[in-house]
């Protein structure tokens, strides 16, 4: 694959590896992404030997670090067979996985993790290390989900909730340009479980729908102005389940990009229900663009 010229807003790629099949999928996806960006790829294994482990001897710590180095070497060799042009850096970090990945990504890198793993990269369930990487992210994070060898659909999908998600949409546009595929901007609003069409009209349903259309149009215009060469499709729809509708839409996307809006709701202070549902159930990789991170844009 020929490397593309990097566009503003796209930095290097950092991926976590632990020997699990899910991490291997993440590594291959990350290598493809780095090759598209024309950037380097940093493969990180977190040994977590800095943590106090009373039942682990010094010899076991040394063996663990040696195994980590061997895993990094094998991973780099596998990447080289697929992407010989790619600059691959490997890093064995003695810290915990989330901290290791954030340090490697610095302020501009994109972190890539698998959706479940071993050791430091456990299943993406509430409270797991993988989800912890996402919840505390200040740079973009991609959770690689979907089939082992996914069929490409030729579409990047961006979830747009309101005009403040323009940074997320612009990040998705950059990904679509890299892949030379169209961008689909999808805005879904909750129709309400009990309100029928007549009730909605009585309560200003037309005005509410107009507001949703205006927000989507504002984001679409901004994306089209900055990426005139990109084919942009803007869709708005009502649904009784916004997360469920986005999961369904992910069937027809190569990548779903969503803004990382922080929520004080019952799921905790760091991640909202829609994002959590996508991370656990999407049918393709999900990229989270932190609302207050370098990747989200100045208007976020």
């Amino acid at each position: 694959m020929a490397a593309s010229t990097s566009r503003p807003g796209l930095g290097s790629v950092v991926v976590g590896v632990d020997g699990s099949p899910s991490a291997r999928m993440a590594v291959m996806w990350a290598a493809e992404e780095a090759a598209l960006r024309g950037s380097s790829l940093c493969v990180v294994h977190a040994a977590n030997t800095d943590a106090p482990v009373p039942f682990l001897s010094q010899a076991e710590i040394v063996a663990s670090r040696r195994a980590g180095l061997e895993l990094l070497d094998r991973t780099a060799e596998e990447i080289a067979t697929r992407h010989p042009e790619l600059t691959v850096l490997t890093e064995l970090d003695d810290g915990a996985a989330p901290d290791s990945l954030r340090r490697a990504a610095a302020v501009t890198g994109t972190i890539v993790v698998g959706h479940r793993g071993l050791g430091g990269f456990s299943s993406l369930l509430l409270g797991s290390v993988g989800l912890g990487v996402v919840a505390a992210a200040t740079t973009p994070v991609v959770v690689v989900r979907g089939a082992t060898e996914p069929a490409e659909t030729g579409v990047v999908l961006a979830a747009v909730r309101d005009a403040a998600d323009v940074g997320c949409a612009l990040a998705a546009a950059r990904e679509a340009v890299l892949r030379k595929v169209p961008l689909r901007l999808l805005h879904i609003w909750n129709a309400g479980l009990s309100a029928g069409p007549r009730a909605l009209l009585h309560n200003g349903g037309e005005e509410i729908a107009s507001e949703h259309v205006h927000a989507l149009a504002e984001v679409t215009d901004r994306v089209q102005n900055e990426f005139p060469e990109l084919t942009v499709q803007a869709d708005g729809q009502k649904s009784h389940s916004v997360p469920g509708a986005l999961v369904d839409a992910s069937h027809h996307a190569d990548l779903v990009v969503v803004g990382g809006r922080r929520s004080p709701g019952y799921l905790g202070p760091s991640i909202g229900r829609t994002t959590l549902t996508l991370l656990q159930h999407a049918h393709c990789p999900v990229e989270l663009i932190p609302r207050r991170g370098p990747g989200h844009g100045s208007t976020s």
Side-chain angles (χ1 to χ4, degrees):
M1 178 190 303
S4 304
T5 302
S6 295
R7 297 186 68 130
L10 292 175
S12 60
V13 181
V14 175
V15 62
V17 61
D18 65 357
S20 69
S22 177
R24 182 184 178 279
M25 283 178 56
V27 165
M28 292 301 108
W29 191 95
E32 190 85 5
E33 178 75 8
L36 282 171
R37 294 184 182 193
S39 72
S40 62
L41 174 65
C42 180
V43 183
V44 177
H45 176 73
N48 202 20
T49 53
D50 283 344
V53 184
F55 304 110
L56 206 60
S57 68
Q58 185 62 35
E60 288 171 322
I61 292 175
V62 171
S64 175
R65 298 187 84 260
R66 184 184 302 115
L69 290 171
E70 292 173 355
L71 172 61
L72 288 171
D73 288 343
R74 291 196 305 271
T75 302
E77 290 174 3
E78 185 175 7
I79 294 169
T81 62
R82 294 197 182 193
H83 301 281
E85 80 289 354
L86 188 61
T87 298
V88 179
L89 309 173
T90 60
E91 182 174 323
L92 179 69
D93 195 290
D94 292 329
D99 295 336
S100 301
L101 291 167
R102 283 194 289 269
R103 279 193 292 269
V107 296
T108 59
T110 295
I111 299 172
V112 181
V113 295
H115 70 282
R116 67 175 61 244
L118 303 170
F121 300 96
S122 56
S123 299
L124 270 179
L125 300 174
L126 191 62
S128 71
V129 173
L131 191 52
V133 172
V134 173
T138 57
T139 61
V141 176
V142 177
V143 177
V144 178
R145 297 193 53 82
T148 305
E149 296 294 336
E152 293 187 357
T153 66
V155 174
V156 170
L157 173 67
V160 177
R161 285 164 289 196
D162 53 41
D165 274 327
V166 65
C168 166
L170 291 172
R174 296 182 189 105
E175 296 284 4
V177 169
L178 282 183
R179 291 163 172 76
K180 300 180 180 179
V181 301
L183 170 67
R184 183 187 183 199
L185 301 177
L186 180 58
H187 172 67
I188 303 170
W189 69 93
N190 197 315
L193 295 177
S194 59
R198 188 170 299 177
L200 284 174
L201 286 174
H202 264 304
N203 293 313
E206 291 181 343
E207 182 178 345
I208 293 172
S210 176
E211 291 175 359
H212 286 290
V213 170
H214 177 76
L216 179 59
E218 184 177 340
V219 173
T220 303
D221 290 345
R222 173 72 180 274
V223 171
Q224 202 69 85
N225 286 338
E226 294 206 20
F227 297 87
E229 77 278 28
L230 181 63
T231 299
V232 181
Q233 174 187 353
D235 294 322
Q237 65 186 62
K238 295 182 292 185
S239 174
H240 292 306
S241 171
V242 173
L246 287 172
V247 169
D248 288 343
S250 72
H251 271 293
H252 311 291
D254 296 330
L255 176 68
V256 174
V257 184
V258 61
R261 183 170 299 180
R262 305 306 189 189
S263 170
Y266 65 91
L267 289 175
S270 297
I271 193 166
R273 182 168 65 95
T274 297
T275 302
L276 179 65
T277 301
L278 280 170
L279 292 175
Q280 293 181 333
H281 301 292
H283 301 280
C284 68
V286 178
E287 181 170 8
L288 176 83
I289 306 298
R291 179 166 285 273
R292 298 187 185 279
H296 198 76
S298 59
T299 62
S300 59

